[in-house]
């Protein structure tokens, strides 16, 4: 095992939560958000189709289904360093491999270890990784999932490195799949591949343990040899304070790409000020260079494509005063939206920013010659303005109803005490009715 990989394995092994109530509280909030995203999608036709191909008794199959379902509606959390989604992969893989007698504190520590690896790797390869067309939920997420399994199952040394290696060699996911079932499958595949890697090593398969070697390792491959692992920096930054705290998690109130959250909150502010779509002559969405890469559809034709269209999201708000999530499930977008499209344009005149920063100002002109502008930098759901408990409860109630939501919140409120078994049983019952 090379020096870099040895250091990473030891950091994962040593991840503990004693005295870290801040990390525990955030991991619990992330799990509530994950459950809302997972269970809101459990009756979707595509999820049902995948369930029919899923062997409930196989951990790798469960991981694939949970990952696909929890990312299917694009309702799950996101994080700036990886420019992708943490919890959909990490909690899916942990629910798949956890044993009923696993302690909740170990379950949460495993999530945090996986998130830490993903975030620090993401900061090393982005924004270039995203600009090259990779979907880091599938690429970086596979390694994070393997790290989570390592920590939960207390794997050490060479065996741990082999699991990481076999997971890393399966890293994949291309961002052009946005707007199709391929994108949520990236989350499912990442979770499935990590479980498969774990089972293969358990069965005696071996793998090279130089995963983070400077010359031929994972980082070198994905950056064409331009980046390598800075071990000293990683050791200094590990859990200082923690990737789920800083830069933190973005959580959503609606089912669209988080790259549009600033623009959506800006549109809501313009609507409150009196701007209406019918009065708009032109509206410009201002981005830093490349910041709209995930919002790849300027002329979406379906609701699924509309989840990745800032134009469709702004139109909904200025047309109706709110986001209508039902639009994202429709096979075609409304004709009124298509007729309004000529009013929209994108500009790339905002200075480049750090990964943790976002800015998508809006400017508009109305038919009466008035000019409007807004620049929301800390929208609701951002790390600086997290969803309130009431908003998280509302999101969960939308997925499972008020009675079940209350039970879930009460149960998780008692964490990190206890074992994970009751939670595993309940989720299986919901996902495999």
């Amino acid at each position: 095992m090379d020096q870099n990989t040895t250091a990473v394995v030891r950091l994962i092994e040593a991840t503990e939560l004693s005295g870290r109530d801040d990390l525990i509280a955030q991991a619990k909030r992330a799990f509530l958000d994950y459950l809302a995203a997972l269970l809101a999608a459990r009756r979707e036709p595509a999820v049902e189709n995948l369930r029919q191909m899923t062997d409930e008794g196989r951990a790798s199959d469960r991981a694939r289904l949970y990952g696909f379902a929890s990312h299917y509606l694009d309702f799950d959390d996101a994080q700036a360093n990886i420019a992708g989604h943490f919890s959909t992969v990490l909690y899916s893989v942990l629910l798949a491999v956890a044993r009923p007698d696993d302690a909740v504190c170990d379950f949460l520590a495993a999530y945090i270890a996986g998130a830490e690896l993903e975030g620090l790797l993401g900061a090393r390869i982005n924004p270039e990784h995203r600009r090259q067309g990779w979907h880091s939920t599938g690429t970086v997420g596979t390694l994070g999932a393997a790290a989570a399994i390592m920590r939960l199952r207390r794997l050490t040394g060479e065996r741990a490195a082999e699991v990481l290696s076999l997971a890393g060699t399966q890293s994949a996911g291309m961002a052009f799949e946005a707007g199709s079932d391929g994108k949520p499958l990236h989350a499912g595949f990442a979770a499935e591949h990590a479980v498969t890697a774990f089972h293969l090593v358990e069965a005696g398969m071996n793998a090279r343990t130089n995963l983070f070697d400077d010359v031929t390792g994972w980082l070198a491959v994905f950056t064409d040899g331009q980046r390598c692992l800075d071990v000293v920096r990683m050791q200094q930054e590990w859990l200082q304070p923690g990737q789920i705290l800083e830069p933190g998690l973005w959580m959503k109130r609606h089912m669209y790409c988080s790259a549009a959250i600033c623009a959506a909150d800006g549109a809501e502010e313009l609507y409150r000020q009196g701007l209406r779509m019918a009065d708009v002559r032109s509206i410009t969405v201002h981005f830093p260079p490349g910041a709209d890469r995930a919002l790849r559809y300027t002329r979406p034709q379906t609701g699924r494509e509309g989840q990745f269209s800032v134009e469709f999201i702004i139109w909904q708000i200025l047309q109706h005063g709110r986001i209508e999530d039902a639009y994202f499930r429709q096979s075609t977008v409304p004709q009124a939206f298509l007729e309004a499209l000529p009013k929209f344009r994108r500009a790339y005149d905002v200075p480049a920013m750090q990964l943790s920063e976002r800015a998508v100002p809006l400017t508009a002109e109305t038919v009466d010659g008035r000019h409007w502008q807004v620049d929301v930098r800390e929208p609701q759901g951002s790390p600086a303005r997290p969803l309130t408990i009431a908003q998280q409860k509302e999101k969960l109630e939308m997925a499972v109803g008020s009675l079940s939501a209350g039970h879930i919140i009460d149960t998780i409120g008692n964490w990190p005490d206890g074992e994970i078994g009751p939670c595993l049983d309940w989720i299986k019952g919901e996902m495999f009715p």
Side-chain angles (χ1 to χ4, degrees):
M1 184 162 36
D2 69 284
Q3 183 179 10
N4 291 348
T5 306
T6 299
V8 171
V9 168
R10 288 176 177 170
L11 286 169
I12 296 167
E13 291 172 358
T15 300
E16 298 289 348
L17 299 184
S18 178
R20 294 303 307 269
D21 290 348
D22 54 347
L23 286 172
I24 292 171
Q26 183 73 331
K28 288 164 60 174
R29 292 185 70 247
F31 189 63
L32 281 175
D33 192 78
Y34 166 84
L35 288 180
L38 173 73
L39 298 174
R42 70 194 188 281
R43 302 292 182 258
E44 294 291 324
V47 174
E48 179 60 30
N49 289 341
L50 185 59
R51 181 168 37 239
Q52 297 301 319
M53 296 183 281
T54 299
D55 182 347
E56 181 182 350
R58 291 176 59 88
S60 58
D61 275 26
R62 293 198 304 276
R64 184 182 62 225
L65 177 66
Y66 292 171
F68 178 72
S70 59
H71 193 41
Y72 183 75
L73 295 173
D74 227 272
F75 207 21
D76 52 312
D77 65 34
Q79 201 257 13
N81 278 348
I82 62 165
H85 305 264
F86 268 171
S87 301
T88 179
V89 177
L90 293 174
Y91 276 130
S92 293
V93 80
L94 289 170
L95 289 172
V97 302
R99 300 166 184 163
D101 60 351
D102 281 333
V104 166
C105 60
D106 285 331
F107 181 83
L108 297 178
Y111 167 77
I112 288 165
E116 204 66 11
L117 182 62
E118 286 190 48
L120 293 176
L121 288 178
R124 194 76 183 128
I125 64 175
N126 277 315
E128 292 82 6
H129 192 66
R130 178 185 64 194
R131 290 173 182 164
Q132 288 165 353
W134 295 107
H135 182 205
S136 56
T137 305
T139 56
V140 187
T142 310
L143 284 175
I149 294 174
M150 286 170 50
R151 175 56 182 81
L152 184 64
R153 296 276 65 89
R154 297 285 187 176
L155 300 181
T156 60
E158 293 282 331
R159 285 187 71 211
E162 287 177 334
V163 173
L164 272 177
S165 180
L166 287 180
T169 203
Q170 299 177 85
S171 293
M174 297 182 183
F176 69 75
E177 293 288 2
S180 76
D181 292 343
K183 183 174 185 284
L185 275 170
H186 293 162
F189 289 154
E192 178 187 16
H193 292 160
V195 175
T196 299
F198 169 56
H199 287 162
L200 288 171
V201 172
E202 276 195 317
M205 294 283 187
N206 62 42
R208 296 292 182 186
T209 56
N210 58 342
L211 176 66
F212 293 112
D213 175 80
D214 286 344
V215 178
T216 61
W218 190 92
L219 273 167
V221 170
F222 272 104
T223 64
D224 196 23
Q226 300 303 304
R227 300 288 177 87
C228 59
L229 194 71
D230 186 336
V231 171
V232 173
R233 183 175 177 180
M234 178 171 277
Q235 290 168 332
Q236 292 171 341
E237 294 182 347
W238 193 268
L239 298 182
Q240 298 300 320
Q243 289 291 307
I244 62 173
L245 297 174
E246 189 178 311
L249 300 176
W250 291 70
M251 296 182 184
K252 306 175 185 179
R253 293 178 293 157
H254 296 284
M255 301 170 185
Y256 59 79
C257 178
S258 65
I261 289 179
C262 289
D265 269 33
E268 289 178 354
E269 177 58 30
L270 289 177
Y271 190 87
R272 283 192 290 269
Q273 293 177 16
L275 183 64
R276 300 294 184 266
M277 196 69 234
D279 300 324
V280 171
R281 173 177 289 151
S282 67
I283 184 164
T284 302
V285 190
H286 302 264
F287 291 98
D292 66 334
R293 191 171 187 90
L295 300 168
R296 59 183 53 248
Y297 295 100
T298 57
R299 297 184 60 84
Q301 300 300 303
T302 67
R304 293 280 280 162
E305 292 179 352
Q307 292 178 290
F308 306 94
S309 169
V310 71
E311 293 83 3
F312 190 49
I313 291 158
I314 292 172
W315 174 81
Q316 289 186 46
I317 294 168
L318 296 184
Q319 184 78 8
H320 301 298
R322 62 190 179 278
I323 293 289
E324 298 281 2
D325 287 308
Y327 275 135
F328 300 127
R329 291 184 166 99
Q330 293 183 358
S331 59
T332 59
V333 296
Q335 182 62 32
F337 164 67
L338 296 175
E339 292 171 356
L341 267 177
K343 300 180 180 182
F344 287 88
R345 66 180 289 265
R346 299 187 188 189
Y348 303 95
D349 51 4
V350 178
M353 296 184 166
Q354 299 295 319
L355 289 174
S356 59
E357 298 176 317
R358 295 191 190 186
V360 186
L362 305 179
T363 56
E365 181 183 359
T366 47
V367 293
D368 60 5
R370 286 185 295 165
H371 293 269
W372 306 67
Q373 62 181 20
V374 66
D375 185 359
V376 175
R377 303 267 173 131
E378 296 177 351
Q380 189 75 58
S382 67
R385 289 183 61 211
L387 297 184
T388 66
I389 295 298
Q391 286 171 326
Q392 280 210 282
K393 184 179 181 182
E394 180 182 0
K395 185 172 176 177
L396 196 57
E397 286 178 344
M398 184 172 66
V400 297
S402 58
L403 187 63
S404 293
H407 173 70
I408 293 168
I409 291 170
D410 289 344
T411 298
I412 294 174
N414 294 323
W415 286 8
D417 296 332
E419 298 176 342
I420 198 67
C423 185
L424 298 180
D425 292 340
W426 183 81
I427 291 172
K428 276 188 182 180
E430 290 292 325
M431 296 301 295
F432 296 95

